[in-house]
Amino acid sequence: MSTALLKVTDLKTYFPINNGILKKSTGFVKAVDGISFSLTKGETLGLVGESGCGKSTTGRSILRLIEPTSGSVKYKGVEVTTLKKNDLRKIRKNMQIVFQDPYASLNPRLTIGSILEEALSTHRIGNHSKERKEIVMDLLEKVGLNSKLVDRYPHEFSGGQRQRIGIARAVAVNPSIIIADEPVSALDVSIQAQILNLFQDFQDKMGLAYIFIAHDLSVVKHISDKIGVMYLGRIVEFASKDELFNHPSHPYTNALMSSVPVPNPTLKKERIILKGDVPNPASPPSGCTFHTRCHACMDICKTVQPKGIEISPGHIVACHLYN
Ligand code: SF4
């Protein structure tokens, strides 16, 4: 059995709701409410759900860009949630992030060469400036950009090119894990496939593990080994990619699945339209938080929160239909 590179156990990130002139705390938004999974070298976990379901907060909490409220994040057995600043900086070299909006995450006042060199010097990679410059030129070519563009600024690149720069910055420091937070959602469909292929190439060459966050199952379909479907801060279904696509079991997964285009247009499938929007996470519905939108809702669903049940090896579903 392969050992876990990353082990996340019962991770919770709650944000206080402050009201009144005195800003008294009157409750919590449970953005992440008990997430658990593990990741091995070279493996990709897809995290999927509508916006506001807590998937980005999960990614940021793992890196402690947002401080989690409780739970455990272990990188190669080392507890990350209690690390002091210096040790956290060292461990962050191994866990990088690629953001959805590469433009917002690239300093507009720096050339792309300086942006990449800064990442290298932050983590003390390269003995001197000349060596770092050589690494930068090599990186640009590896992400499919002409190294002659090294002195250009982020605004001189297209969205797809900027995401390539974002990926170059993440892989520059030789991480083991990359958290890719909706990295293709802002890009044209034709460019999305190129960026997904680039992620795949780096995974093959460097043995990287990914947490790949997306709101669309079709995006994570090809790249993921296993998939967690999130709804209001919890994973409601978790399975290997093949198992999830062959036997989607949670009503929410079925609804998401029904919107994935099928390659053969003569095959008709019924689209399940979800009622309404994701409820306000500051006042989530009682019982199963999906009950206000679920076509299979029963009386018990309105009062009792379902626990995750393993319906086949490694396939976990949190739904009363399986209890
Ligand atoms: Fe639907 Fe009930 Fe299952 Fe929730 S527990 S998904 S409301 S059937």
Side-chain angles (χ1 to χ4, degrees):
M1 212 173 81
S2 43
T3 49
L5 194 59
L6 183 74
K7 191 162 173 39
V8 176
T9 311
D10 203 21
L11 186 70
K12 294 181 180 169
T13 305
Y14 293 178
F15 299 117
I17 304 166
N18 298 320
N19 273 332
I21 312 171
L22 297 176
K23 296 277 176 231
K24 261 183 87 176
S25 176
T26 53
F28 294 95
V29 172
K30 297 178 177 179
V32 179
D33 195 17
I35 299 279
S36 302
F37 63 84
S38 61
L39 198 62
T40 54
K41 183 176 158 62
E43 193 178 36
T44 300
L45 165 72
L47 276 185
V48 190
E50 290 160 287
S51 44
C53 72
K55 50 197 193 306
S56 292
T57 309
T58 302
R60 283 166 166 76
S61 302
I62 289 167
L63 296 175
R64 285 183 57 197
L65 298 174
I66 296 173
E67 286 295 340
T69 307
S70 65
S72 162
V73 175
K74 284 189 174 160
Y75 174 77
K76 289 188 175 170
V78 175
E79 182 59 57
V80 176
T81 57
T82 51
L83 284 180
K84 296 270 182 293
K85 215 172 162 187
N86 236 354
D87 292 329
L88 180 62
R89 187 178 55 78
K90 281 184 206 149
I91 221 158
R92 275 211 187 123
K93 175 183 168 298
N94 302 295
M95 295 193 283
Q96 291 289 303
I97 186 164
V98 172
F99 295 98
Q100 173 180 359
D101 180 355
Y103 195 49
S105 68
L106 300 173
N107 187 337
R109 285 186 288 272
L110 295 181
T111 64
I112 60 161
S114 307
I115 289 170
L116 296 177
E117 271 190 71
E118 191 178 73
L120 295 172
S121 45
T122 300
H123 293 289
R124 304 196 174 100
I125 293 174
N127 292 321
H128 42 74
S129 172
K130 187 167 174 279
E131 192 178 331
R132 282 195 285 273
K133 279 201 169 65
E134 280 165 14
I135 298 173
V136 166
M137 302 300 256
D138 184 47
L139 267 172
L140 287 176
E141 296 289 341
K142 279 188 179 147
V143 296
L145 291 172
N146 190 331
S147 57
K148 288 184 184 143
L149 305 177
V150 67
D151 293 323
R152 301 252 176 115
Y153 290 86
H155 74 267
E156 297 178 80
F157 293 89
S158 67
Q161 287 174 321
R162 286 200 285 259
Q163 199 51 291
R164 288 177 190 271
I165 300 162
I167 295 169
R169 182 174 57 182
V171 298
V173 298
N174 285 322
S176 317
I177 299 172
I178 289 183
I179 296 178
D181 187 4
E182 302 253 13
V184 297
S185 331
L187 304 176
D188 290 346
V189 176
S190 57
I191 309 293
Q192 286 187 357
Q194 295 174 13
I195 298 297
L196 289 173
N197 286 340
L198 190 60
F199 273 107
Q200 200 91 61
D201 282 354
F202 277 113
Q203 184 165 53
D204 294 344
K205 285 180 195 141
M206 298 170 68
L208 286 166
Y210 293 138
I211 297 175
F212 207 94
I213 295 168
H215 58 263
D216 188 343
L217 266 170
S218 57
V219 168
V220 295
K221 184 175 182 188
H222 296 291
I223 201 159
S224 301
D225 298 299
K226 52 193 186 185
I227 296 176
V229 178
M230 284 188 71
Y231 192 77
L232 281 182
R234 292 166 172 260
I235 292 180
V236 294
E237 183 159 10
F238 190 94
S240 70
K241 175 185 68 180
D242 291 341
E243 172 69 10
L244 193 89
F245 274 84
N246 292 331
H247 305 289
S249 301
H250 194 282
Y252 181 57
T253 311
N254 276 310
L256 293 182
M257 204 67 90
S258 76
S259 61
V260 175
V262 284
N264 182 351
T266 59
L267 284 178
K268 288 255 179 297
K269 67 173 176 180
E270 197 191 335
R271 176 98 195 256
I272 303 169
I273 308 286
L274 284 172
K275 292 182 277 180
D277 293 323
V278 180
N280 181 354
S283 52
S286 56
C288 169
T289 53
F290 185 59
H291 86 253
T292 51
R293 303 170 82 195
C294 180
H295 65 87
C297 178
M298 304 169 282
D299 282 346
I300 187 176
C301 307
K302 296 174 187 166
T303 52
V304 181
Q305 193 170 61
K307 290 195 166 62
I309 304 284
E310 191 165 27
I311 59 168
S312 62
H315 186 171
I316 297 162
V317 185
C319 172
H320 289 303
L321 292 172
Y322 302 91
N323 282 352

